[in-house]
Amino acid sequence: MDLGLKGKKAVVTGATKGIGRRIVETLADEGVDIAICSRTAEEVEETLAVLRAKGINAVGEAVNVRDGEAYKAWISRAGEQLGGIDILIPNVSGGAGMDSEKNWQRNFEVDVMGSVRAVETAVPFLKKSGEGSVVFIVSTNAIETFAAPMAYNALKASLITYSKQLGQFHGKRRIRFNALSPGTIFVEGGAWDMIKTSQPDFYNATIAAHPFGRMGSAEEVAKAVAFLASPAASWINGTHLIVDGGYTKGVHF
Amino acid sequence: MPIKRVKPGDFTRTPIEKAPDPQLGHAIIAKERYTSPDFMKLEWERMWKRSWLMGCREDDIPEPGDYVCTEIGREAILIVRQADMSIRAFYNVCQHRGNRLVPPGIGKLKSFKCAYHHWEYGLDGDFVRIPDKETFPQGTPCQGLPEVPCDTWGSFVWYNLNKDAEPLREFLGVIPEHLDPYHFDRMAMTRDWTIEWDCNWKASVDAFNESYHVQGIHPQLLYYLDDLDIQIDCYDRHSRYLVPFATTSPRVKETSDIPPLIRLIMKQAGMDPADFDGKTREVRLAVQKWKRENGASQGYDYSDLNDDQLTDDYHYLIFPNITLNVHADDLMLFRQRPHPTDPNKMYYDLQNFRLLKQGEEKPERPEHRFYRHGEKSLGQVLDQDAYNLPGVQLGMQSEGFPGLWLGDQELRIRHFHKVIDDYVYGVGEAP
Ligand code: FES
Ligand SMILES: [Fe+2]
């Protein structure tokens, strides 16, 4: 099956590490031109070099997502530099934390507004595409209680609702909107990498609770994202895809 | 990326230069020193009885008549605040038939009266009263309580069982210059525990004198400190290492989320991790800057400390038995005391102190608590240390273990045992 991704143009936020990094590499392997952002210029440059080596056009900048105007300006610039946007993947996150009320503000600004602003800025480009596709990267923390009550979990959940509504609203512009929730994904330098070292008992218990006896990889998420973003998923709109190896227990009718 | 450190020319009062590493070779450290009653005796006679030892805090005995009775080996020493506010130290033993005068601990008395026949001594150790004095035709012993040298430094009271001891300052060497900038006198004690540990006292000192075991028994600290980029300095008899805190170890991948223990450091400084946009390895310098800028308004005077001291662990061994985790806002002090008779046991005195805000009233001193090994949690990190030590002590007694095989990260341990050897066998005379 050909995903039909070759020659498409994707904007992916927060793409220099972890799942985001794997997503852009997977898309680049499929021949997609890529625009990325991250907090630090060196990381952006390093990632761009890897992407360009795959023979695609890759652009990117260091952007603070919490700076709304600068962030929107970058999305526009990325669309212009790429010569269009077919795929938008708001992936950047403020991360989990229970430090203070500011966690709510942070996750609101980065996870929620980082997605909202990206969509609003990218829609003019996406509607020109004719095969526009947006994939919100959510989290299984949004659908099942895990660890502790956190702004991260609750605000990630809001993206599922938002995505569904956008899918209805922008259907006539032929833009599909879907949400995708990775489960426990092991990436180097990620939360589970730290937990593996610092709380080995908890780590092992979590592994044991997985039907396949392991955690997922960023690559397994990236492949699902690539499919959902691609024209091969042309009839999938407004859904929420859980990519967790069957770890969560809830049944979704 | 190597850790950024205070460098020559930057503000510091505590000297920061790296001391030249002593050339101590690579020989095995004989294990008998941890297990042998003979070595224990030599160590007592030649090392303990000739070293300045920490007795108590000056503010443990604020008023005349306040005393601390502290035990070392088979001895018990009375440290007494005098009428003129000076401090003197005596053997805690009645000169009549040898009864101990008071039990270990803190107290307040007008005089020390032996419970057996009521011989009574003043705060200055002189006889006050001997019942039926006329029934001792030989008169009274020429002295009252035998006195030992006693002096103060760093808010602590020190004593020496050798009446011809060198002055305390001479024994302490570089220590006051290094640690005075922390102003221990502005800190208040928050915990005072003693735990009887099932290991030799030196096994405990060893455990706190190297960072090599962090990756072994404290893996969670790899997301809290840099265990590899440390500076080790050995001096005449004391030593230190400088360990960067509020950062991650090069052994692990830097995390995109700030690790929980580092968040705690930020919060303790009054920063909100949820408001921090930098990376994990940028937190350390950010905390330093924050404390420098906000310390005074929070009531903390850091003006004598260099930037690294605002985050890092300056860890000192004051020979022979005081290990100190020194931080800008707190001090964690371990005093390791030998068991009176059993080389396989020791007393681990665990004292915590916190810096008081300017003008803050000193809180009441916590009561001393005594526990047996494993009876009470000391907190995750110290529990990990404590859990490990009895196994070390048992292994030391195995026919299959010749002695300690030390690496470069354990240079302070090698140095510590060399200084002990100098006391026990004479300088350069170790067998
Ligand atoms: S032993 Fe102290 S009074 Fe007799
Ligand atoms: Fe330890």
Side-chain angles (χ1 to χ4, degrees):
Chain A
M1 179 179 67
D2 177 16
L3 295 176
L5 281 169
K6 191 158 175 50
K8 297 288 185 208
K9 297 159 196 321
V11 174
V12 185
T13 65
T16 57
K17 283 192 299 240
I19 291 173
R21 170 65 174 261
R22 198 64 221 177
I23 290 171
V24 291
E25 288 188 24
T26 302
L27 291 176
D29 285 338
E30 293 295 316
V32 177
D33 292 337
I34 309 274
I36 59 165
C37 73
S38 134
R39 276 189 301 210
T40 45
E42 311 85 77
E43 289 179 1
V44 170
E45 285 311 317
E46 186 267 332
T47 308
L48 289 179
V50 169
L51 295 176
R52 284 171 188 150
K54 294 176 186 290
I56 53 108
N57 179 26
V59 297
E61 287 175 36
V63 177
N64 183 353
V65 177
R66 296 169 83 187
D67 181 346
E69 289 312 311
Y71 176 64
K72 286 196 283 191
W74 169 71
I75 301 263
S76 292
R77 210 157 41 240
E80 281 149 25
Q81 286 168 344
L82 291 178
I85 302 175
D86 303 294
I87 295 165
L88 171 68
I89 302 173
N91 165 73
V92 69
S93 174
M98 298 179 70
D99 307 298
S100 70
E101 206 174 86
K102 288 236 170 70
N103 289 111
W104 288 88
Q105 281 157 16
R106 182 182 190 81
N107 288 124
F108 178 73
E109 285 172 35
V110 180
D111 296 76
V112 179
M113 292 315 292
S115 300
V116 172
R117 287 169 179 149
V119 168
E120 288 181 354
T121 315
V123 157
F125 294 96
L126 289 163
K127 73 181 184 196
K128 282 191 203 138
S129 162
E131 287 182 311
S133 172
V134 177
V135 180
F136 293 98
I137 305 302
V138 187
S139 162
T140 47
N141 286 0
I143 58 158
E144 266 197 11
T145 57
F146 190 77
M150 281 191 276
Y152 174 80
N153 307 357
L155 293 178
K156 277 291 195 192
S158 72
L159 293 175
I160 301 171
T161 311
Y162 183 55
S163 166
K164 180 75 186 174
Q165 292 184 321
L166 287 168
Q168 299 275 317
F169 186 75
H170 286 301
K172 56 180 171 293
R173 296 173 189 92
R174 285 188 290 155
I175 310 171
R176 295 180 298 111
F177 287 81
N178 292 291
L180 183 146
S181 284
T184 43
I185 305 301
F186 187 93
V187 293
E188 281 195 4
W192 288 107
D193 190 6
M194 172 165 52
I195 291 167
K196 184 181 181 185
T197 302
S198 55
Q199 297 169 260
D201 292 346
F202 176 53
Y203 178 79
N204 291 329
T206 307
I207 291 267
H210 278 69
F212 293 175
R214 66 171 176 89
M215 287 184 184
S217 67
E219 190 180 358
E220 287 169 307
V221 176
K223 281 179 174 167
V225 172
F227 169 71
L228 214 46
S230 77
S234 55
W235 203 234
I236 304 178
N237 183 26
T239 196
H240 174 213
L241 181 63
I242 294 160
V243 184
D244 70 349
Y247 176 59
T248 53
K249 305 286 188 295
V251 180
H252 306 275
F253 289 102
Chain B
M1 194 179 58
I3 281 288
K4 184 181 172 295
R5 283 183 189 284
V6 170
K7 45 185 195 314
D10 291 341
F11 171 81
T12 190
R13 293 213 193 286
T14 300
I16 53 164
E17 300 76 44
K18 164 99 188 80
D21 282 343
Q23 298 307 309
L24 301 173
H26 308 284
I28 283 183
I29 306 282
K31 63 167 186 178
E32 285 72 22
R33 61 185 48 224
Y34 296 88
T35 57
S36 139
D38 290 340
F39 189 88
M40 191 180 184
K41 264 187 214 124
L42 285 176
E43 195 177 71
W44 173 255
E45 288 299 328
R46 300 177 184 173
M47 195 278 287
W48 290 109
K49 282 169 70 174
R50 287 162 50 195
S51 295
W52 280 93
L53 303 173
M54 182 179 279
C56 65
R57 278 260 286 186
E58 283 181 73
D59 65 6
D60 288 341
I61 47 172
E63 291 167 7
D66 289 337
Y67 71 87
V68 164
C69 174
T70 179
E71 291 179 297
I72 182 74
R74 294 174 198 252
E75 292 293 358
I77 301 297
L78 263 180
I79 299 170
V80 187
R81 180 72 72 173
Q82 302 295 302
D84 66 359
M85 295 306 282
S86 65
I87 299 173
R88 292 170 71 179
F90 310 95
Y91 287 96
N92 175 41
V93 59
C94 177
Q95 299 300 297
H96 176 221
R97 294 222 326 255
N99 189 23
R100 282 208 168 166
L101 285 174
V102 297
I106 297 187
K108 187 183 194 73
L109 286 169
K110 289 195 169 58
S111 65
F112 298 98
K113 187 156 88 176
C114 178
Y116 204 169
H117 314 88
H118 285 194
W119 282 31
E120 192 177 349
Y121 307 83
L123 301 180
D124 57 2
D126 281 353
F127 290 110
V128 171
R129 184 173 163 267
I130 295 175
D132 306 338
K133 198 171 171 181
E134 63 285 1
T135 64
F136 294 87
Q138 73 275 45
T140 50
C142 52
Q143 60 168 3
L145 297 176
E147 186 166 4
V148 299
C150 174
D151 199 354
T152 61
W153 165 75
S155 79
F156 295 95
V157 183
W158 306 74
Y159 65 93
N160 195 314
L161 298 181
N162 173 14
K163 59 181 184 336
D164 301 319
E166 75 268 51
L168 172 65
R169 295 274 162 167
E170 204 174 289
F171 180 87
L172 289 176
V174 301
I175 295 294
E177 184 194 2
H178 281 234
L179 294 182
D180 280 342
Y182 284 96
H183 301 286
F184 293 155
D185 57 307
R186 299 179 190 163
M187 294 188 178
M189 192 187 287
T190 55
R191 172 161 72 170
D192 181 22
W193 291 0
T194 297
I195 304 100
E196 189 186 86
W197 269 2
D198 296 327
C199 66
N200 185 269
W201 70 278
K202 296 184 290 298
S204 171
V205 173
D206 294 347
F208 298 114
N209 271 355
E210 48 90 354
S211 64
Y212 181 36
H213 73 284
V214 168
Q215 47 86 34
I217 62 173
H218 308 303
Q220 78 280 10
L221 296 184
L222 299 176
Y223 292 94
Y224 182 67
L225 55 81
D226 185 339
D227 56 323
L228 288 176
D229 197 352
I230 66 172
Q231 176 178 322
I232 295 180
D233 297 305
C234 297
Y235 302 105
D236 51 352
R237 47 172 79 83
H238 316 294
S239 69
R240 72 170 180 184
Y241 56 26
L242 313 182
V243 186
F245 271 26
T247 189
T248 52
S249 166
R251 295 180 196 271
V252 296
K253 267 234 164 191
E254 182 185 13
T255 51
S256 19
D257 283 355
I258 300 169
L261 291 172
I262 297 180
R263 283 173 187 247
L264 207 59
I265 291 178
M266 298 172 84
K267 284 192 230 183
Q268 281 162 350
M271 293 172 80
D272 190 341
D275 220 13
F276 183 75
D277 281 334
K279 294 155 62 121
T280 298
R281 292 271 275 181
E282 292 166 356
V283 170
R284 177 170 165 271
L285 294 186
V287 170
Q288 291 176 3
K289 187 163 178 282
W290 171 277
K291 284 176 128 171
R292 187 62 77 204
E293 284 166 6
N294 297 281
S297 67
Q298 293 170 341
Y300 298 117
D301 177 6
Y302 301 130
S303 57
D304 284 339
L305 299 179
N306 71 44
D307 285 347
D308 289 355
Q309 288 172 310
L310 302 185
T311 49
D312 295 355
D313 184 48
Y314 274 42
H315 182 279
Y316 283 78
L317 164 68
I318 304 180
F319 186 84
N321 66 333
I322 306 296
T323 49
L324 299 159
N325 286 88
V326 191
H327 309 131
D329 301 281
D330 70 278
L331 166 67
M332 188 155 62
L333 183 152
F334 310 147
R335 182 174 64 167
Q336 3 266 322
R337 287 179 295 136
H339 189 273
T341 56
D342 186 351
N344 300 303
K345 286 189 190 302
M346 65 163 289
Y347 297 111
Y348 171 70
D349 297 320
L350 165 57
Q351 295 187 337
N352 291 80
F353 302 85
R354 73 167 173 88
L355 182 65
L356 296 174
K357 294 191 185 216
Q358 275 170 322
E360 182 182 352
E361 208 181 310
K362 232 174 217 185
E364 213 175 305
R365 188 193 192 286
E367 264 188 55
H368 178 256
R369 303 247 178 263
F370 180 89
Y371 303 104
R372 308 236 171 248
H373 206 141
E375 184 185 351
K376 172 97 177 169
S377 171
L378 314 175
Q380 186 185 26
V381 176
L382 293 179
D383 282 350
Q384 288 166 331
D385 289 311
Y387 179 80
N388 199 55
L389 285 169
V392 169
Q393 190 64 26
L394 284 173
M396 294 274 191
Q397 294 160 74
S398 166
E399 300 267 332
F401 180 69
L404 284 63
W405 189 275
L406 300 176
D408 290 345
Q409 295 179 74
E410 298 160 291
L411 180 64
R412 293 178 72 201
I413 298 182
R414 194 175 285 287
H415 178 254
F416 169 59
H417 290 280
K418 183 252 175 203
V419 178
I420 291 179
D421 283 349
D422 287 349
Y423 273 90
V424 170
Y425 302 113
V427 176
E429 299 292 315

